[in-house]
Amino acid sequence: MSSSSHNNNRRGFYVRMKLLHKHGGHQHQEKKNLCFKYYKWVLWFSLSLYFFSSYFITHKPIPLSKTHVSKSETVVSRALFESSNSTFLQLNQNINQGLLKDLKIYIYELPSKYNTDWLKNERCSNHLFASEVAIHKALSNSLDVRTFDPYEADFFFVPVYVSCNFSTVNGFPAIGHARSLISSAVQLISSNYPFWNRSQGSDHVFVASHDYGACFHAMEERAVEDGIPEFLKRSIILQTFGVKFDHPCQDVENVVIPPYISPQSVQATLQKYPLTGRRDIWAFFRGKMEVHPKNISGRYYSKKVRTVIWRKYSGDRRFYLQRHRFAGYQSEIVRSVFCLCPLGWAPWSPRLVESVALGCVPVVIADGIRLPFPTAVQWSDISLTVAEKDVANLGTILEHVAATNLSSIQRNLWDPDVRRALLFHDQVLDGDATWQVLYALAQKLDRSYRTVRLSEQ
C-alpha cells in the first residue's frame, strides 16, 4: 500500500469519527455506558470466579508429608481464605452462629492403621465404646463445623480407635495397646504439623470411651496406678467416665459423653413397641450379677451392689432379673417401668442410654457418678438416684415413686429431645450427642490457640 493511500485512509478514519461524534454523539454515549456496565460485570464475574476457585484450593487437607509451613505462606493463605468465604459464611450464619459460636474443627487425616482399618470388624462401630467411631464419622460429615483449613480451626480432632481390639479369650475390647497407638499418632502429627507444638496440645481433642477414660484400663486400681499418659494431660478428652469427686482418671480437661447405643436399633425397637405402650415389667435388669462377688483377683465386682440386688429380689415378682445375655433385651426395656442401672467395674453403664431412649425410668445406683450433658438432660427430672448403701431398700423406694410422681417423671422422660441428646448419628443433628459435644467445646474456646490469638490482636 502506498503512503498517499495510507494517509487518505487515516484521514478518512478521522473524518468518519468526527462526523459520528457530531451527528451520533448521544447514541455513542449510550453505547459507551453500556460497554462500561458490561466491563464492570465481566470484571466482577472474573473476580468472583477467582475467589471461588481459591476457596476449593485452600480447602484441601494438609498431607502429613508437608513438614514446613512458613509464616508468609500462612498469612497469605488466611487472608485469601477469609476474603473468599465472607459471603459463604454469611449464608450459613443461621447454622454456625448462636450456641456453637461459629465453632470450627479440623480433623487430622491419619493413616488408616489408626482408625478405619479397625472397621473390618463389624463390632467396632456398634459396641458400647464405639462413640470414638461415631464422633469421627459425624464430624467428617459435618460441612458446617468441619474445616479443611487448619489455620481457621478452633480445635483439632485426633481420630484414633483403640476399642476395636477384641480379646480372643472373652470377646471384650482389649485396650492394652491404647497408649502406644495414641502416642504414635501424637508423634506423627507433632512432627508433621505445627499445631500441636504451638499449643502443647491444649486445643486437641481425643475420645477415651472406656471404663476409666484416658487411664486406659478396666480395673480401677490399675487405671489409677497407670494414670493418664503425660502427653495427653494438656488436651481435651471426651470420656464416658465421670465422677463428682477428685479422681486421677479425670484429672484432665474433659467432657463426659454417653456410651454408644445404635440409633437404628432403638428405632427398630420403638417401631415394634410404642414408647407409651403397655409396660408389664415393673423393675428390670439383665446383666452380670455375681452370687459371690469377690473374683479371683480379690476385688468385689460392682462393690457388691449387684449381688445384693440378686440375693434380695430374685424371688420378688415385682422384679424381672436375668443374669444371661439375650440379643433382644431392648424389647424387655421398652416394656419396663423402672430399669436398674447399677455400677459394674466402672460407675457408668450403657443401660443409662438404653433406658432413656426406650422410655424406661433409669434407676442410677452408682455413688458420685457424673452424667453426660447435664445442660441438655435434666437427669433429676427423668431418673431416680439410689445410694449404694440403700440398695437393699430398693423395693420400698420404687413403690413410693410409683405411688407419687411416676407419671411426671415419665412425661419428662418421653420428650424426644431428651432421647436425641444421648444418641450419636452419622451426621450431626441439631441437639444430638455429637452436637452436645460441639456445644461443650464451644464453652472451652479459651483453650483455642486461634481464638486467643485473635482476641489479643
Side-chain angles (χ1 to χ4, degrees):
M1 183 181 292
S2 66
S3 175
S4 60
S5 65
H6 177 74
N7 290 335
N8 289 335
N9 286 340
R10 188 168 60 181
R11 283 196 299 270
F13 173 78
Y14 285 124
V15 169
R16 285 194 302 272
M17 290 300 295
K18 189 173 181 179
L19 290 173
L20 181 62
H21 176 75
K22 181 177 180 180
H23 298 291
H26 180 68
Q27 294 178 357
H28 172 69
Q29 185 65 33
E30 288 182 346
K31 291 182 179 180
K32 183 177 179 181
N33 291 339
L34 182 62
C35 289
F36 181 70
K37 291 180 180 179
Y38 177 77
Y39 170 76
K40 288 199 300 181
W41 184 86
V42 171
L43 179 62
W44 177 86
F45 178 80
S46 300
L47 288 173
S48 299
L49 182 61
Y50 170 75
F51 286 128
F52 188 71
S53 302
S54 300
Y55 167 78
F56 287 101
I57 293 173
T58 59
H59 271 64
K60 294 180 179 179
I62 296 180
L64 285 171
S65 58
K66 185 174 181 179
T67 58
H68 301 290
V69 183
S70 69
K71 291 185 178 180
S72 60
E73 289 174 343
T74 301
V75 172
V76 173
S77 175
R78 294 273 316 142
L80 180 60
F81 178 84
E82 291 172 354
S83 299
S84 64
N85 281 279
S86 58
T87 304
F88 178 81
L89 291 176
Q90 288 174 3
L91 293 174
N92 288 274
Q93 281 179 350
N94 61 322
I95 299 175
N96 290 330
Q97 287 188 347
L99 294 176
L100 298 188
K101 303 177 182 178
D102 290 327
L103 191 71
K104 292 295 181 183
I105 309 287
Y106 181 80
I107 304 172
Y108 283 111
E109 298 287 340
L110 298 178
S112 60
K113 68 177 183 179
Y114 292 100
N115 40 60
T116 54
D117 279 356
W118 295 98
L119 296 177
K120 294 173 184 177
N121 189 324
E122 293 183 0
R123 289 182 60 197
C124 183
S125 56
N126 288 295
H127 65 106
L128 75 163
F129 296 153
S131 54
E132 60 184 7
V133 179
I135 293 172
H136 182 204
K137 183 182 294 185
L139 292 179
S140 298
N141 291 333
S142 174
L143 298 180
D144 301 320
V145 175
R146 183 182 185 182
T147 176
F148 291 94
D149 180 358
Y151 291 98
E152 77 153 9
D154 297 300
F155 295 103
F156 297 79
F157 184 74
V158 187
V160 183
Y161 305 165
V162 301
S163 301
C164 298
N165 183 30
F166 297 101
S167 168
T168 56
V169 177
N170 55 26
F172 296 137
I175 55 176
H177 68 306
R179 292 170 182 266
S180 59
L181 191 65
I182 296 178
S183 175
S184 172
V186 169
Q187 178 64 31
L188 192 66
I189 63 178
S190 63
S191 299
N192 291 280
Y193 289 79
F195 311 109
W196 175 276
N197 296 324
R198 72 180 186 180
S199 68
Q200 298 300 303
S202 66
D203 52 4
H204 284 58
V205 182
F206 298 81
V207 181
S209 51
H210 325 293
D211 292 76
Y212 290 96
C215 283
F216 300 116
H217 204 282
M219 299 291 103
E220 185 172 17
E221 291 179 10
R222 178 65 183 277
V224 170
E225 181 182 338
D226 292 346
I228 298 171
E230 196 64 35
F231 60 85
L232 285 181
K233 287 187 175 179
R234 295 182 182 88
S235 299
I236 301 172
I237 309 298
L238 310 179
Q239 58 185 48
T240 42
F241 172 72
V243 288
K244 297 176 181 177
F245 48 86
D246 292 338
H247 194 287
C249 295
Q250 65 178 12
D251 189 17
V252 63
E253 190 70 23
N254 65 83
V255 176
V256 177
I257 62 174
Y260 180 81
I261 298 298
S262 166
Q264 290 79 18
S265 68
V266 169
Q267 183 178 8
T269 300
L270 291 177
Q271 286 177 346
K272 294 181 180 178
Y273 305 92
L275 196 68
T276 57
R278 182 170 178 263
R279 294 184 178 266
D280 56 345
I281 300 174
W282 192 68
F284 170 74
F285 179 82
R286 180 182 287 277
K288 183 178 180 180
M289 288 180 286
E290 300 286 4
V291 178
H292 306 289
K294 195 172 186 178
N295 66 11
I296 57 174
S297 65
R299 299 182 180 93
Y300 284 101
Y301 180 68
S302 188
K303 297 182 181 178
K304 301 183 182 180
V305 167
R306 297 192 188 188
T307 299
V308 173
I309 293 174
W310 176 256
R311 289 177 178 176
K312 180 78 182 281
Y313 296 107
S314 60
D316 190 324
R317 292 185 178 181
R318 298 172 300 172
F319 286 77
Y320 184 76
L321 306 178
Q322 300 294 326
R323 299 174 60 199
H324 304 290
R325 293 178 179 272
F326 169 49
Y329 71 99
Q330 285 191 357
S331 64
E332 298 171 325
I333 294 176
V334 79
R335 291 168 45 210
S336 301
V337 176
F338 298 105
C339 287
L340 309 186
C341 303
L343 73 163
W345 288 119
W348 62 273
S349 164
R351 295 173 184 82
L352 285 167
V353 176
E354 290 172 310
S355 300
V356 172
L358 296 171
C360 180
V361 177
V363 181
V364 183
I365 312 170
D367 292 354
I369 188 173
R370 190 156 55 98
L371 298 169
F373 310 143
T375 57
V377 180
Q378 301 300 315
W379 288 98
S380 60
D381 295 339
I382 67 165
S383 66
L384 304 179
T385 299
V386 176
E388 293 168 15
K389 64 180 179 60
D390 295 331
V391 70
N393 300 319
L394 198 54
T396 303
I397 295 171
L398 298 185
E399 287 282 9
H400 175 74
V401 172
T404 55
N405 60 335
L406 175 60
S407 59
S408 176
I409 294 173
Q410 288 178 325
R411 186 165 53 251
N412 297 328
L413 177 64
W414 295 344
D415 182 344
D417 290 342
V418 173
R419 178 169 61 255
R420 173 177 285 198
L422 298 178
L423 294 176
F424 294 97
H425 298 84
D426 288 348
Q427 293 185 329
V428 180
L429 302 180
D430 185 25
D432 80 343
T434 307
W435 189 96
Q436 301 298 337
V437 167
L438 294 173
Y439 177 74
L441 291 177
Q443 314 311 307
K444 301 179 185 294
L445 284 173
D446 59 325
R447 298 178 63 87
S448 165
Y449 178 89
R450 172 180 174 269
T451 301
V452 172
R453 287 294 298 271
L454 289 176
S455 65
E456 291 174 350
Q457 294 176 358

